[in-house]
Amino acid sequence: MPVYKYKAISEKGKILEGYHEAKSDRDVLTMLKNNNYYPMTIEVDKEVNIKISPFLKKVSKKDMAVFCRQFYTMLNAGISVINCLDILEKQIENKMLEEVISSVRDNLQKGMTLSESMKKHNGIFPPLLTNMIEVGETGGTLDIIMQRMAVHYEKENKIENKTKSAFVYPIILSIVAIAVVIFLLVVVMPTFIGMFESSHVALPVPTRVLLTMSNWLTVYWYLFIAIIFIAIIGLAVLVQVPRCRLFYDSLKIRIPIFKKMNINIITSRFTRTMSILLSSGIPLLQAIEVASKVLGNMVVAQRLDIAKEDIRKGISMSNAIKNMEIFPPMVNSMIKVGEESGAIDNILNKTADFYDDEVETSIQRMTTLLEPMLIVIMAIIIGFIVISMAMPMFDMVNTIPM
């Protein structure tokens, strides 16, 4: 998508300039109006954006955490922003991030601010980070902001690693099960075909089904590989379609085995993001808008948009969040306490710490439930194959005269 350069006037009469990646200028106009900005000019940025090779490693949560942590350390030591970027470019391990940092540094030398330079690469730098950096630049607290973002991405990386680790054993078990089934159908089953045919014994239905599957897999193995490959690519493309993504995200918070884990992850991510944004002085409505973009779930993001409109109409945040019917009841109660005490950012931070622990517990519970289910499914499939091969043998034995 093209990057647009815009100039607008805020409600206080301040002239703002920035960059926004969008499909068309209408999307940029909508974004400005949603932020209560009066647009002056919107034009495509003619500067050639950096072209990143698709073979380069993507920027992960860990890379972003290291970037923020090192940036904070150098800023805290009194090093200028440009010198920080120069040092980071030389020592960062991720090649894609290295290229982007170089581009950001060059834009900084041309007179752009750090947040504006990073917004030109919003495919690399998340909206949360660029918005927070903009706040840090305005308030002169860039080092504190970088420290907060480092902690945020370190915890995000920790949750991501725990989630991936939870699926390692089930994935390995599934691969082993598929490999065993293929071995039985392609290698073991054909050895019995000749014996079955020469015995002239009527084969039971399960055995005939198994023989058909064995023949198809042996003769048309390349078609099966092509179908699997196309299915994987097709699913990856479908997930990018808004309607399909909405359906997929709704399943993630509805399927019993995965529901608890996904809700806890979303809750932890929402409360921690809101805590960081509110403690940095970002208005509540803007904070909710930014937080909705980092949750990774379209269903929750849409309901947050409704909650934002409810708050705009005068409903309290605790009631608006309660009406979403997504987050656990504890979140509503904690937000209400924060509203009454005037320390909602601190309350949200404590809530995030609680749900970080809950994420680990829910992952363990999910793994405990998922592993036996996979073992049972694997046993049923392999048992069906073995019984299907054994049934004709018993019939053959019965036909032998005593």
Side-chain angles (χ1 to χ4, degrees), residues 28 65 123 174 184 221 228 264 272 311 325 327 358 368:
V28 182
S174 301
L184 290 173
W221 58 269
I228 293 171
N264 285 336
R272 188 169 303 286
I311 294 171
E325 298 181 348
F327 299 111
E358 283 294 298
T368 304

Side-chain angles (χ1 to χ4, degrees), residues 3 29 82 96 111 200 216 230 251 291 293 330 347 358-359 362 365:
V3 175
L29 187 62
I82 291 180
M96 180 180 287
H200 300 291
W216 285 356
I230 292 170
L251 287 180
K293 296 177 182 177
M330 178 184 170
I347 293 293
E358 283 294 298
V359 167
S362 58
R365 287 176 182 171

Side-chain angles (χ1 to χ4, degrees), residues 202-213:
L203 299 177
V205 175
T207 307
R208 293 202 302 270
V209 171
L210 210 61
L211 284 173
T212 303
M213 291 175 62

Side-chain angles (χ1 to χ4, degrees), residues 371-384:
E371 289 175 4
M373 287 178 60
L374 289 173
I375 292 172
V376 170
I377 293 171
M378 180 178 175
I380 291 172
I381 293 173
I382 295 176
F384 171 77

Side-chain angles (χ1 to χ4, degrees), residues 47-191:
E47 179 181 346
V48 180
N49 290 328
I50 182 171
K51 293 182 179 180
I52 303 296
S53 170
F55 299 102
L56 294 180
K57 183 183 176 183
K58 292 184 178 180
V59 179
S60 63
K61 295 284 194 310
K62 182 180 178 181
D63 295 322
M64 204 57 66
V66 171
F67 170 78
C68 293
R69 177 65 64 184
Q70 292 179 346
F71 212 140
Y72 156 70
T73 303
M74 288 184 284
L75 286 173
N76 196 42
I79 301 174
S80 66
V81 174
I82 291 180
N83 286 337
C84 288
L85 292 171
D86 190 50
I87 295 169
L88 283 169
E89 181 192 355
K90 293 175 182 177
Q91 68 179 23
I92 207 78
E93 293 181 0
N94 189 295
K95 295 298 181 183
M96 180 180 287
L97 190 55
E98 179 186 334
E99 294 287 337
V100 172
I101 289 172
S102 176
S103 174
V104 170
R105 184 200 60 204
D106 292 341
N107 287 327
L108 235 66
Q109 290 173 337
K110 295 176 183 177
M112 292 176 63
T113 63
L114 179 61
S115 57
E116 288 175 344
S117 303
M118 293 176 72
K119 282 179 180 179
K120 295 189 69 174
H121 304 286
N122 56 8
I124 301 296
F125 298 111
L128 173 62
L129 179 59
T130 53
N131 278 279
M132 291 299 295
I133 287 175
E134 187 174 3
V135 171
E137 288 177 316
T138 305
T141 56
L142 188 58
D143 55 339
I144 297 174
I145 293 296
M146 279 299 181
Q147 183 185 29
R148 290 176 181 174
M149 295 312 300
V151 172
H152 172 77
Y153 286 116
E154 284 165 359
K155 293 193 176 184
E156 281 286 301
N157 180 58
K158 186 178 179 181
I159 291 174
E160 193 175 86
N161 287 338
K162 285 180 180 177
T163 307
K164 288 179 180 178
S165 299
F167 285 98
V168 169
Y169 180 74
I171 289 173
I172 291 175
L173 189 62
S174 301
I175 292 172
V176 170
I178 293 170
V180 170
V181 170
I182 291 174
F183 175 78
L184 290 173
L185 290 176
V186 175
V187 178
V188 178
M189 196 66 190
T191 60

